[in-house]
């Protein structure tokens, strides 16, 4: 009896223990992020079990009822490579297991539109397209896209004036007029307004920025000679409900980006507001001129997406920009505007834009895209005035048609430009205020095999001033495998010139403008070889490298001659040819410990050849490099970003043999550091230091602005040949000139900001 009782007791005890073990099942919970943002709808599964769940809108997940043991936990989502982690669970344990998919984002499959004028995966595009997301630009927050592009390899925002800080965008050494700026694929930013058009676009509304280096005139027409930058704004339906990004600096700069999504019936609207204010007079180099232009800018952007049958596209967007900027003598105020008592450069800008894209209600993929912009500029450069109006209307009809191995894009476009200003040179060089540019183009992307693609295209335009223009184009893509791609592109480009839309030096009145002859359109021939390699490891380590070799040959290159006469700018077509050639490389690496590294370098040789003499292009570096080093301390929810760029010497515009300023700039670098805290659910806090080396262009120079003590040249004396005579008050024989500029003139400064997002 005792034995029976003993065995019963043991059985009950074992049953209780087994039930206790069963009751003490484990659980796994955590969060999934990418580039610091939560990723919803990520599948979380345990291999060899039926357990699976998905993340919520904030990126959180939880798996319950898991037995003790070893498991491989997998995270998978559309647009990301699968990530797996091994873990061991104890009975009753609640394990926290987070996933950072930043390294696993399948960026080769990013959708791009710029290279071929239609949506394709970046991997499949025969034209190399560089893609930059807002996460890249958040590593060094800036008040405008113009400033943000300083961290892109081979792209340099060039300031053209020490006083008013106007500028343009250089791509591979070619000056701003050779760069076309697009918003949502529309040529909305014309050469008159490159710097103004890139200012005031709310960074929070940008989905991505696509950059093509090299001529794209066969698709986009005039101005797309050196390359193009396409700013893709967010689709309203994918944007957060509300977003705000506000920061200030110790220079007393203030910038605010606000975004709001609303739904009205079948339409979704995205509204963005950008406000930038800098009203602090700074003169650290003690030349009695402002070091940095004072600005007051507001921009309002709204984009509508209308829901239609069969998901046909119809988007409509508009933007209004107003800016008041000035620089000059520190005691200047608006009562001196346009006078000759106190020197100031004051610019009022009013600009509005309209962009639309409508898919026709037919079975074929036919789209009508259109844009219109009106730009009014009222400027005073001392006692010189520059008052200009430019209106650009654009319409384009495209038919996207696939026939077996051929993917055709057939289109017709019409561009209308009205331009007028108050300068006599405009009447001399461009008597026609209205320019019509109708054109047609055909592009055929031929799939020879799964790994070989050929693209051929040709465009015909008729310019109402210059007649017929043909621009052919060809590209070849060899997909060696999923990680290695080789691309070869060749084509021609053309550009119709209006010097006053692109050269600030011609507007200031500091030099006399001379147009030697009637200017002819420029034409270019270009070839570009590109190689892309991406490598992924199972542990999350990622390496990527992209290299390109480029060569561009110019006929009828327009040259502004600053050297023949220091008091004149002489414009003429080059009696010879010009060449831009070089090599560029991008390397990026991401380790599973949270360290990321992006490094870019470009070597370029941009020169003119006239009468057997080679001359380096002014204000153009031979070598440039940039980097972004990022590290995330997951335990502290803290991100660290160290960014910077480096430039080799460039030739600078001197005023004569006695000018004591350096003929070549030094090697210079701007470096920044930022700390970002992401421990809050909807908030991000960030702070850092810009220009860590405290570098400014006046380092090593006696002065930057020539004649700052006599900006109206009242004490300048000329000899019988019209040359400036050195005097006791003017020992170097200089006139007033603010165009000796090659970098930003802001000292070291701190910044602090906050981002708030409601999904």
């Amino acid at each position: 009896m005792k034995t029976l009782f003993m065995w019963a007791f043991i059985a009950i005890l074992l049953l209780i223990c087994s039930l206790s073990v069963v009751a003490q099942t484990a659980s796994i919970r955590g969060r999934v992020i990418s580039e610091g943002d939560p990723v919803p709808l990520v599948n979380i599964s345990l291999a060899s079990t039926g357990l699976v769940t998905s993340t919520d809108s904030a990126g959180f997940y939880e798996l319950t009822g898991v037995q003790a043991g070893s498991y491989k936990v997998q995270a998978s989502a559309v647009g990301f490579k699968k990530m797996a982690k091994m873990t061991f669970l104890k009975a009753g344990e609640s394990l926290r297991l987070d996933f950072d998919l930043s390294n696993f984002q399948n960026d080769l499959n990013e959708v791009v539109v710029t290279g071929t004028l239609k949506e394709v995966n970046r991997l499949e595009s025969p034209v190399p397209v560089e893609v930059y997301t807002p996460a890249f630009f958040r590593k060094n927050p800036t008040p405008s896209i113009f400033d943000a592009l300083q961290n892109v390899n081979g792209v340099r925002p060039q300031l053209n004036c020490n006083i008013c800080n106007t500028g343009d965008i250089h791509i591979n050494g070619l000056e701003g007029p050779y760069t076309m700026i697009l918003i949502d694929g529309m040529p909305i930013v014309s050469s008159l307004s490159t710097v103004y058009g890139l200012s005031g676009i709310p960074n929070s509304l940008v989905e991505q920025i696509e950059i093509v280096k090299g001529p794209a005139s066969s698709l986009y027409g005039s101005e797309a000679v050196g390359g193009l930058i396409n700013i893709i704004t967010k689709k309203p339906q994918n944007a957060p409900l509300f977003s705000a990004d506000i920061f200030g600096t110790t220079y007393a700069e203030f910038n605010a980006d606000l975004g709001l999504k609303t739904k009205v019936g079948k339409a979704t609207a995205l509204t963005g507001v950008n406000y930038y204010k800098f009203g602090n007079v700074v003169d650290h180099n003690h030349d009695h001129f402002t070091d940095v232009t004072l600005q007051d800018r507001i921009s309002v952007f709204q984009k509508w997406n209308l829901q239609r049958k069969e998901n046909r596209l119809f988007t409509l967007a508009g933007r209004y920009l107003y800016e008041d900027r000035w620089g000059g003598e520190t005691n200047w105020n608006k009562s001196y505007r346009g006078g000759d008592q106190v020197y100031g450069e004051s610019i009022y800008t009013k600009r509005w834009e309209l962009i639309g894209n409508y898919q026709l209600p037919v079975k074929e993929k036919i789209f009508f895209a259109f844009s219109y912009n009106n730009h009014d500029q009222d400027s005073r450069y001392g006692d010189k005035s520059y008052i200009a109006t430019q209106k650009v209307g654009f319409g384009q009809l495209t038919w996207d048609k696939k026939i077996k191995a051929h993917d055709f894009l057939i289109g017709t476009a019409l561009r209308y430009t009205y331009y007028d200003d108050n300068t006599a040179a405009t009447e001399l060089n461009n008597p026609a205020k209205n320019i019509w540019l109708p054109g047609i183009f055909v592009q055929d992307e031929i799939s020879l095999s799964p790994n070989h693609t050929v693209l051929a295209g040709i465009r015909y335009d008729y310019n109402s001033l210059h007649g017929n223009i043909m621009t052919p184009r060809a590209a070849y893509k060899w997909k060696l495998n999923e990680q290695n791609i080789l691309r070869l592109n060749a084509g021609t480009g053309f550009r119709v010139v209006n010097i006053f839309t692109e050269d600030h030096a011609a507007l200031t009145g500091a030099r006399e403008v001379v147009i030697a002859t009637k200017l002819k359109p420029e034409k270019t021939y270009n070839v570009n070889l590109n190689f892309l390699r991406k490598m992924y490891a199972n542990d999350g380590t990622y390496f990527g490298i992209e290299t390109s070799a480029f060569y561009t040959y110019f006929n009828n290159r327009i040259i502004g001659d600053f050297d023949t006469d220091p008091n004149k700018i002489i414009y003429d077509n080059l009696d010879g040819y010009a060449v831009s050639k070089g090599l560029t490389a991008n390397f990026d690496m991401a380790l599973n410990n949270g360290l990321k590294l992006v490094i870019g370098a470009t070597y370029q040789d941009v020169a003119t050849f006239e009468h057997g003499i080679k001359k380096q292009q002014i204000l153009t570096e031979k070598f440039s490099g940039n980097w972004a080093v990022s590290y995330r301390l997951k335990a502290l929810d803290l991100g660290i970003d160290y960014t910077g760029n480096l430039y080799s010497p460039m030739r600078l515009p001197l005023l004569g043999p006695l000018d004591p300023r350096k003929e070549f700039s030094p090697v210079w670098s701007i470096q920044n550091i930022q700390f970002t805290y992401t421990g809050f659910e909807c908030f991000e806090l960030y702070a850092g230091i810009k220009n860590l080396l405290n570098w400014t262009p006046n380092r090593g120079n006696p002065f930057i602005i020539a004649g700052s003590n006599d900006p109206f040249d009242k004490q300048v004396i000329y000899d019988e040949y019209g040359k400036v005579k050195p005097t006791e008050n003017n020992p170097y024989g200089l006139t007033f000139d603010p165009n000796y500029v090659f970098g930003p003139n802001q000292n070291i400064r701190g910044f602090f900001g906050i981002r708030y997002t409601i999904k």
Side-chain angles (χ1 to χ4, degrees), residues 502-716:
E502 60 204 36
D503 198 335
H504 167 268
L507 305 178
T508 63
R511 298 191 186 210
E512 178 187 354
V513 174
V514 177
I515 300 176
T517 60
K518 184 177 180 180
L519 300 177
K520 302 175 183 177
E522 296 181 345
K523 191 164 187 178
T524 67
Y525 305 88
N526 171 274
V527 62
N528 182 295
L529 181 64
N530 173 270
F531 175 71
L532 175 68
R533 177 171 174 77
K534 301 280 187 179
M535 295 167 284
Y536 294 90
N538 291 331
D539 65 352
T541 301
Y542 158 77
F543 296 93
I545 186 168
E546 184 171 8
T547 61
S548 294
F550 59 90
Y551 181 90
T552 304
Y553 179 94
F554 290 81
N555 277 334
N556 298 329
R557 178 76 183 270
I558 304 294
I559 296 294
D561 181 359
F562 288 76
D563 301 321
T564 301
D565 188 331
N567 298 308
K568 296 179 179 179
I569 307 175
I570 304 171
Y571 289 96
D572 200 359
N573 289 106
L574 184 68
D575 186 14
Y577 63 94
V579 169
S580 170
K581 58 184 178 181
L583 299 168
T584 182
N586 288 311
F587 171 78
D588 53 320
M589 175 183 71
L591 304 181
N592 59 6
N593 64 0
L595 178 66
K596 291 185 178 182
L597 180 66
V598 178
I599 299 176
T602 297
Y603 172 80
Q604 58 200 16
D605 184 7
V606 185
T608 60
F609 297 82
E610 192 170 25
H611 309 304
I613 299 174
K614 178 182 178 181
K615 182 180 289 187
Q616 293 297 133
Q617 179 175 281
I618 202 168
L619 292 171
T620 303
E621 71 282 359
K622 280 206 165 185
F623 172 83
S624 65
N626 56 66
W627 63 87
V629 181
S630 302
Y631 185 69
R632 181 170 177 79
L633 299 169
K634 297 180 181 178
L636 301 177
D637 292 315
L638 184 67
I640 305 172
D641 297 294
Y642 170 52
T643 59
N645 46 49
L646 178 72
Y647 298 101
S648 69
M650 59 185 77
R651 192 166 68 90
L652 303 174
L654 298 180
L655 292 183
L658 298 180
D659 194 332
R661 297 174 296 179
K662 293 182 178 181
E663 183 181 1
F664 288 89
S665 66
V667 175
W668 58 281
S669 175
I670 301 292
Q671 301 176 26
N672 321 284
I673 192 166
Q674 175 185 243
F675 301 90
T676 305
Y677 179 73
T678 57
F680 303 113
E681 184 172 344
C682 298
F683 286 94
E684 278 187 9
L685 301 177
Y686 59 94
I689 300 173
K690 290 180 178 288
N691 195 4
L692 285 165
L693 303 180
N694 198 24
W695 178 89
T696 54
N698 61 295
R699 183 176 293 182
N701 271 310
F703 52 83
I704 294 295
I705 300 175
S708 61
N709 63 327
D710 184 24
F712 296 99
D713 292 338
K714 293 180 179 180
Q715 301 177 27
V716 174

Side-chain angles (χ1 to χ4, degrees), residues 146-147 150 156-163 165-166 170 285 291-293 619-621 645 647-648 650-653 665-666 668-670 691 695-699 701 704 738-747 749:
F146 177 83
D147 297 317
Q150 65 184 288
R156 181 167 70 87
Q158 166 65 44
L159 295 176
N160 294 327
C161 174
N162 268 306
I163 297 177
N165 285 164
T166 56
H170 291 203
N285 59 7
D291 292 346
V292 183
T293 304
L619 292 171
T620 303
E621 71 282 359
N645 46 49
Y647 298 101
S648 69
M650 59 185 77
R651 192 166 68 90
L652 303 174
S665 66
W668 58 281
S669 175
I670 301 292
N691 195 4
W695 178 89
T696 54
N698 61 295
R699 183 176 293 182
N701 271 310
I704 294 295
N739 298 307
Y740 183 95
V741 59
F742 54 93
N745 198 23
Q746 282 183 288
N747 293 77
R749 59 203 183 278

Side-chain angles (χ1 to χ4, degrees), residues 323-398:
E323 183 176 57
D324 176 1
R325 65 164 63 195
W326 76 270
E329 294 185 81
T330 54
N331 61 331
W332 185 92
N333 59 56
K334 291 185 178 181
S335 68
Y336 296 110
R337 192 173 195 263
D340 63 355
Q341 299 301 310
V342 179
Y343 188 89
E345 297 187 2
S346 171
I347 301 171
Y348 299 154
T349 301
K350 294 180 181 178
R351 175 180 178 84
W352 63 271
E353 307 161 347
L354 180 68
I355 311 169
N357 197 353
Y358 177 77
Q359 184 177 359
L360 272 62
V362 295
K363 290 184 178 181
E364 299 291 338
K365 293 177 66 176
I366 302 177
F367 296 86
F368 176 66
F370 56 92
S371 67
Y372 183 83
N373 70 78
N374 186 98
H375 185 101
D376 290 313
Q377 188 166 320
D378 182 347
S379 309
R380 299 293 187 275
Y381 301 93
D383 57 354
K384 308 292 183 183
S385 67
Y386 173 67
I387 302 173
T389 297
Q390 182 165 281
K391 303 174 183 179
V392 180
F394 180 82
Q396 180 169 271
L397 190 68
T398 56

Side-chain angles (χ1 to χ4, degrees), residues 244-248 257 682-687 752-756:
D245 189 346
I246 301 171
F247 74 88
D257 272 335
C682 298
F683 286 94
E684 278 187 9
L685 301 177
Y686 59 94
F752 175 80
I754 183 171
R755 298 187 184 98
Y756 178 68

